[in-house]
Amino acid sequence: MRIPLSWLREFAQVPADATAEDVMADLVKVGFEEEAVHRPTDTLQGPIVVGQVLSLVKEPQTNGKTINWCQVRVVPEGQEQTLTGKGIDPSGVQGIICGAHNFVEGDKVVVTLPGAVLPGDFHISARKTYGHLSAGMIASVRELGIGEDHDGILVLSSIGLDPEIGTDAMELLGLYDQAAEINVTPDRGYAFSIRGVAREYAHATGTTFTDPASKVTAPASLQGGYGVKLNDDAPIYGKPGCDRFVARTVRDVDPSRPTPPWMSSRLRLAGIRSISLPVDISNYVMLELGQPNHCYDLDKLSGDIVVRRAVAGEKITTLDDKERTLDVEDLLITDDSGAIGIAGVMGGAHTEVSDSTTNILVEAAHFDEVSIARSRRRHKLPSEASKRFERGVDWHVANIAAQRVVDLLVELAGGTADETGTDVGTAPDAVTIELPADFASKRIGIDFTEEQITTSLVDLGAVVEKSGAGYIVTAPSWRNDLETKEDLSEEIARLVGYDNIPATLPVAPPGRGLSRTQQQKRRVVQALADAGLTEVLSYPFVTKAANDTFGVAVEGAGRPALKLANPISEEHGYLRTSILPGLIEVARRNHSRGFRDLALYEAGSVFLPGEKLGTDSIPPLGVKPADDVLEGLFDGVPHQPLHIAAVLTGHDSPAAATHTPRAWDWADGLDIARLIGDVLGVELVVSQGSHQAFHPGRAAKLALRSGELVGYAGELHPKLLAAQDMPARSVAVEVDVDVLFQAAADVIVAKHISGFPVATQDVALVVPQEVPADDVLAALREGAGELLEDVALFDVYQGAGIEEGRKSLAFGLRFRAGDRTLTADEASEARAAAVAVAAERFGAVQR
């Protein structure tokens, strides 16, 4: 909402020297957000004055263009020029070249003198052009930044002005005014008006507020006016679409009269373009009082006005000249000819006020918020009227707004108002709220006095009555957001001042901190980040096919999953049972945007429904459920274990002149899984695995020593990668870290590091192809005994020199004693013992 300061000053005590920034700073105190400042003088600087054309000589040019060589008086005759500067003639008459032809000798115009600056940082100076020294410019409205018309210069008589020569044109046109723009939240629709903002400014500054509605004298009742019927036979949620309709008639209007500069200036600063006098008056009253209204050409109406729902397939051409097919939920303004407006959204073109209009019917109505919001969204037709109606408008201001429009049409457009009028509808019941005496203090955490409570609520416009337990508060009609005692507590805190609420940091209870599981999760997540992976967050909503593919290892075995009751899209209607679908989508999206080398990971919950899901009923609000009820609720919540998954594509590092990057492969997926296990102090058993989402020959199953499955790692299936437009040989890993958390020891004891040197020996063993490398590694570890410090697989070979159906596994063994330096014989003896166990179990033969 943009608030011109000159307008605000009519109803609130804004200091004369206050800037838009000052006003916004005050409004912030009562909960509004600053948006922007709109100040014409930021881009427009004088001297800009009123001039009168003394002579005009048309001079044709060789390029086919005709220019006007003008002599323009900018100082009253007989007075001296007080302005000084290069190019300003002391005689008070300026020679100016002008290419426009919509003015004649004697016209008063706006003259920008040398030294002036126009929007676009256009500096005015005396310059030689077309054989003359042109010292200034006769300006159009676009050049002044006050409109879009550039067909001709601004003749002041055309906007109803006849000022004295030399008058400051910026002051005349309201260009010294400025506007403060604030953000209005949806629950505070009353602030979409000068009336509402002025009241809030008075709250913020403790000054007096004058209600603009109190300045309008409207008849106590209206009768005998234009016929209006409210006929909503299909109300939404049982609430009529229109519960008040006020209609007034003004005759013999002259719509060709110009909009006064003070009005067009305020509308412009408020962000609304000046169109014609009747339309400008309608917009002006809407901004001032917050009540949208509409002007119909009375002579184009036929029969009574009926407010009703649309008939299926009914059409209307709206003011933007677009034909729209209506929905049966749309609330319409109609006459005997059919629809003449979408209620509260936009009027119809058929009854639009035009230059030939002489008689006007003024409408000010109150419409249901839901009806207006739905029509606005359905037709993608945002308007200033719908913005206010869908947030709530004061029911009681409709007749005031209609009278204000009538008064301005009489005053500015020369019309004559009918004494009769129409006012139909039923007032809504006032909202009454019981507020316990100590409720606001307990809710906000500050002891409010009785005076603070009552004063704050009365300042809002509420009626406050004392009761035995506290207060009975009747909310003001313009505050439809006040419905509960919590709402009132918030208003009390806001008006007393948020800055008066003490800031108190909570004290952490002694002896508590992160739980064991929280500590474990943090260590794992940090370790993966330290290893160079990037943490991301994906949506937990997936397709059924994704759950069936990633949630279960065997193809064709469907995965039970939770279906959402209100999904964001039907394609993503299930909660995930695996993190990988969302993570792959993140990788795919980044890959499509040129990021080829990715190492992404995510830690998050998956959702695994059990036999019982939900409860038969929902406990009532406002009362803590009994323990057995809470237990039943928790029993119906699906199991949500924490999983960690990673996806690797491309290479492990950027290419460089002296460096060739390595492509990620299945071993990197295993390394990530092992890193998670190492951080938690849990040993993972790796074996050949089979999962429908992974490559048939490059997938590993991850398990505990007890045999409990933890997850899978390896290359993703080529068909899956092709379908996702992902790079071949992309790697993935997913583990159930909740299982690892439970298996981890409470305390991880670090091993003693010997100070004696290590003895290293390698061994290459040929074994049958189907024997897992991890099983051979376990046999070597067992056979080597206590001198073995570490054993690792560093090569797998199949090819020349190796019998078909067999493979060569190369291991590096590290031996060390804690009390001496090992001899070569001791290391060789331990190595031989390790090989012996592998030979016994798998028929391993040294290569």
Side-chain angles (χ1 to χ4, degrees):
M1 175 67 185
R2 296 184 183 183
I3 310 109
L5 265 57
S6 64
W7 206 348
L8 184 64
R9 286 189 174 99
E10 290 189 14
F11 311 113
Q13 295 179 332
V14 182
D17 60 348
T19 63
E21 290 87 350
D22 297 331
V23 170
M24 288 194 297
D26 287 324
L27 291 174
V28 164
K29 299 175 184 177
V30 287
F32 292 101
E33 295 179 8
E34 300 174 339
E35 284 290 330
V37 170
H38 302 272
R39 190 163 28 224
T41 53
D42 287 343
T43 58
L44 185 70
Q45 299 176 24
I48 302 175
V49 299
V50 174
Q52 185 173 35
V53 180
L54 301 180
S55 65
L56 181 154
V57 179
K58 295 186 178 296
E59 298 182 355
Q61 304 298 311
T62 57
N63 60 5
K65 183 178 180 180
T66 298
I67 59 95
N68 299 310
W69 171 236
C70 306
Q71 298 297 312
V72 185
R73 178 174 293 282
V74 295
V75 175
E77 189 172 2
Q79 295 186 17
E80 294 184 359
Q81 173 63 275
T82 57
L83 297 173
T84 60
K86 186 176 181 181
I88 297 180
D89 198 307
S91 69
V93 178
Q94 300 288 125
I96 299 175
I97 292 290
C98 185
H101 300 284
N102 66 319
F103 65 103
V104 296
E105 293 178 356
D107 281 343
K108 291 183 179 178
V109 295
V110 175
V111 180
T112 59
L113 296 173
V117 180
L118 300 184
D121 200 29
F122 184 72
H123 291 255
I124 302 299
S125 61
R127 61 191 181 94
K128 190 73 176 290
T129 180
Y130 293 108
H132 299 282
L133 181 65
S134 180
M137 187 174 75
I138 305 174
S140 69
V141 293
R142 180 187 290 182
E143 288 162 341
L144 293 171
I146 60 175
E148 294 300 320
D149 185 10
H150 197 53
D151 294 335
I153 57 95
L154 173 60
V155 178
L156 293 175
S157 60
S158 68
I159 58 173
L161 296 177
D162 184 22
E164 182 181 1
I165 297 172
T167 300
D168 186 342
M170 292 181 63
E171 183 174 0
L172 180 71
L173 299 174
L175 297 176
Y176 289 123
D177 201 0
Q178 52 187 301
E181 184 174 1
I182 58 173
N183 178 40
V184 178
T185 53
D187 62 325
R188 302 177 73 176
Y190 65 92
F192 276 114
S193 67
I194 300 298
R195 182 192 190 203
V197 174
R199 181 182 283 109
E200 290 295 333
Y201 182 84
H203 293 334
T205 57
T207 54
T208 304
F209 161 68
T210 302
D211 190 346
S214 67
K215 291 190 169 187
V216 180
T217 303
S221 63
L222 292 170
Q223 294 179 348
Y226 200 92
V228 176
K229 299 175 183 177
L230 307 183
N231 185 22
D232 185 0
D233 55 1
I236 298 176
Y237 300 135
K239 188 173 181 180
C242 178
D243 56 8
R244 189 177 193 185
F245 196 107
V246 178
R248 299 291 302 277
T249 301
V250 183
R251 303 183 188 275
D252 300 323
V253 169
D254 182 3
S256 64
R257 288 193 182 185
T259 300
W262 59 267
M263 179 178 286
S264 59
S265 170
R266 287 180 174 180
L267 289 174
R268 182 177 62 253
L269 270 177
I272 293 182
R273 178 172 58 94
S274 177
I275 298 174
S276 66
L277 181 56
V279 175
D280 290 350
I281 288 174
S282 175
N283 286 330
Y284 188 85
V285 172
M286 175 185 67
L287 292 175
E288 185 171 80
L289 296 173
Q291 169 68 57
N293 56 88
H294 189 70
C295 291
Y296 299 93
D297 187 324
L298 180 64
D299 298 323
K300 295 179 182 177
L301 294 173
S302 58
D304 290 349
I305 286 178
V306 179
V307 184
R308 60 169 174 82
R309 298 289 172 178
V311 178
E314 193 171 1
K315 298 180 183 297
I316 185 177
T317 301
T318 46
L319 288 174
D320 56 0
D321 291 325
K322 292 183 179 179
E323 185 179 69
R324 302 178 186 276
T325 301
L326 301 167
D327 185 89
V328 293
E329 272 196 353
D330 288 329
L331 189 69
L332 303 181
I333 311 297
T334 69
D335 65 1
D336 289 350
S337 66
I340 59 174
I342 303 176
V345 179
M346 185 173 285
H350 174 64
T351 56
E352 180 182 9
V353 172
S354 65
D355 292 342
S356 61
T357 299
T358 56
N359 301 315
I360 291 177
L361 182 73
V362 178
E363 165 215 308
H366 186 268
F367 300 113
D368 171 46
E369 297 92 333
V370 175
S371 288
I372 304 309
R374 289 188 178 183
S375 291
R376 191 265 300 170
R377 294 188 184 99
R378 183 179 299 115
H379 297 289
K380 297 181 176 61
L381 192 59
S383 65
E384 290 295 328
S386 65
K387 180 195 301 183
R388 288 160 175 80
F389 276 127
E390 64 183 274
R391 289 166 174 80
V393 170
D394 184 2
W395 189 95
H396 294 281
V397 84
N399 62 323
I400 302 293
Q403 183 65 49
R404 177 69 164 143
V405 174
V406 169
D407 292 344
L408 289 172
L409 286 172
V410 170
E411 176 187 351
L412 303 177
T416 301
D418 285 1
E419 293 184 1
T420 59
T422 305
D423 189 350
V424 294
T426 303
D429 295 332
V431 177
T432 302
I433 307 166
E434 294 186 9
L435 178 66
D438 60 348
F439 183 82
S441 297
K442 291 181 177 178
R443 191 76 173 179
I444 305 301
I446 180 175
D447 291 331
F448 295 111
T449 65
E450 180 179 336
E451 181 182 1
Q452 286 176 319
I453 293 173
T454 56
T455 300
S456 298
L457 296 176
V458 170
D459 284 349
L460 284 177
V463 176
V464 183
E465 299 178 7
K466 285 293 297 290
S467 67
Y471 311 90
I472 303 297
V473 182
T474 302
S477 58
W478 56 85
R479 291 299 302 271
N480 62 342
D481 59 313
L482 301 181
E483 298 179 337
T484 65
K485 56 183 179 291
E486 288 81 6
D487 297 332
L488 297 180
S489 299
E490 181 181 347
E491 292 299 298
I492 294 168
R494 185 173 69 88
L495 297 188
V496 170
Y498 292 133
D499 54 338
N500 291 321
I501 300 175
T504 305
L505 291 175
V507 179
R512 297 184 183 180
L514 295 176
S515 67
R516 175 175 178 267
T517 300
Q518 289 171 330
Q519 292 174 343
Q520 290 171 322
K521 179 183 177 182
R522 288 197 178 188
R523 288 203 304 270
V524 171
V525 169
Q526 186 62 51
L528 293 176
D530 293 343
L533 281 75
T534 300
E535 186 175 13
V536 297
L537 184 66
S538 64
Y539 284 113
F541 313 125
V542 298
T543 64
K544 184 178 185 302
N547 276 337
D548 290 343
T549 300
F550 290 90
V552 62
V554 180
E555 186 174 359
R559 173 58 130 165
L562 290 170
K563 191 176 190 305
L564 297 170
N566 57 339
I568 57 176
S569 74
E570 289 301 325
E571 293 182 356
H572 298 83
Y574 292 83
L575 285 173
R576 67 188 179 191
T577 59
S578 166
I579 294 180
L580 283 177
L583 200 55
I584 290 172
E585 173 59 25
V586 174
R588 185 200 63 77
R589 189 183 311 116
N590 280 274
H591 188 268
S592 68
R593 286 159 175 74
F595 297 97
R596 309 294 181 179
D597 302 326
L598 299 170
L600 309 177
Y601 78 99
E602 178 179 359
S605 296
V606 298
F607 305 87
L608 309 178
E611 295 181 1
K612 181 181 178 182
L613 186 63
T615 57
D616 296 333
S617 61
I618 299 176
L621 299 175
V623 180
K624 181 182 178 181
D627 291 342
D628 59 333
V629 176
L630 287 174
E631 187 176 344
L633 290 173
F634 285 122
D635 287 344
V637 175
H639 182 44
Q640 301 172 42
L642 179 69
H643 281 206
I644 291 182
V647 171
L648 313 174
T649 69
H651 299 81
D652 65 345
S653 57
T658 58
H659 169 68
T660 301
R662 182 182 64 84
W664 297 114
D665 61 23
W666 59 269
D668 294 296
L670 289 180
D671 287 344
I672 291 172
R674 288 194 177 102
L675 173 62
I676 295 172
D678 290 344
V679 169
L680 297 174
V682 177
E683 182 183 0
L684 291 178
V685 177
V686 180
S687 61
Q688 183 71 38
S690 176
H691 193 292
Q692 60 178 323
F694 286 83
H695 191 291
R698 299 172 187 153
K701 183 173 71 172
L702 309 172
L704 300 178
R705 282 292 172 190
S706 63
E708 186 174 359
L709 180 66
V710 173
Y712 290 86
E715 293 183 11
L716 291 168
H717 200 291
K719 289 183 179 180
L720 187 148
L721 293 174
Q724 295 286 338
D725 197 22
M726 289 275 289
R729 308 294 295 270
S730 293
V731 177
V733 56
E734 181 167 11
V735 295
D736 184 341
V737 287
D738 270 359
V739 174
L740 298 181
F741 291 162
Q742 295 172 8
D746 290 339
V747 178
I748 301 174
V749 180
K751 294 181 179 179
H752 173 71
I753 300 176
S754 172
F756 294 94
V758 67
T760 61
Q761 295 207 12
D762 296 339
V763 62
L765 300 177
V766 178
V767 297
Q769 185 174 340
E770 65 273 10
V771 175
D774 197 61
D775 289 352
V776 179
L777 185 145
L780 292 174
R781 179 181 286 114
E782 181 181 338
E786 63 181 13
L787 294 180
L788 181 69
E789 182 178 83
D790 187 38
V791 56
L793 175 70
F794 66 83
D795 184 56
V796 178
Y797 174 72
Q798 288 178 279
I802 302 298
E803 183 181 346
E804 186 176 354
R806 297 175 72 82
K807 60 184 176 182
S808 171
L809 304 176
F811 297 90
L813 294 87
R814 293 166 54 91
F815 299 100
R816 182 165 11 210
D819 57 352
R820 67 188 187 281
T821 300
L822 291 178
T823 65
D825 290 341
E826 287 178 305
S828 297
E829 184 179 347
R831 171 178 173 276
V835 171
V837 174
E840 178 184 351
R841 291 187 181 176
F842 308 111
V845 178
Q846 289 195 62
R847 184 180 171 194

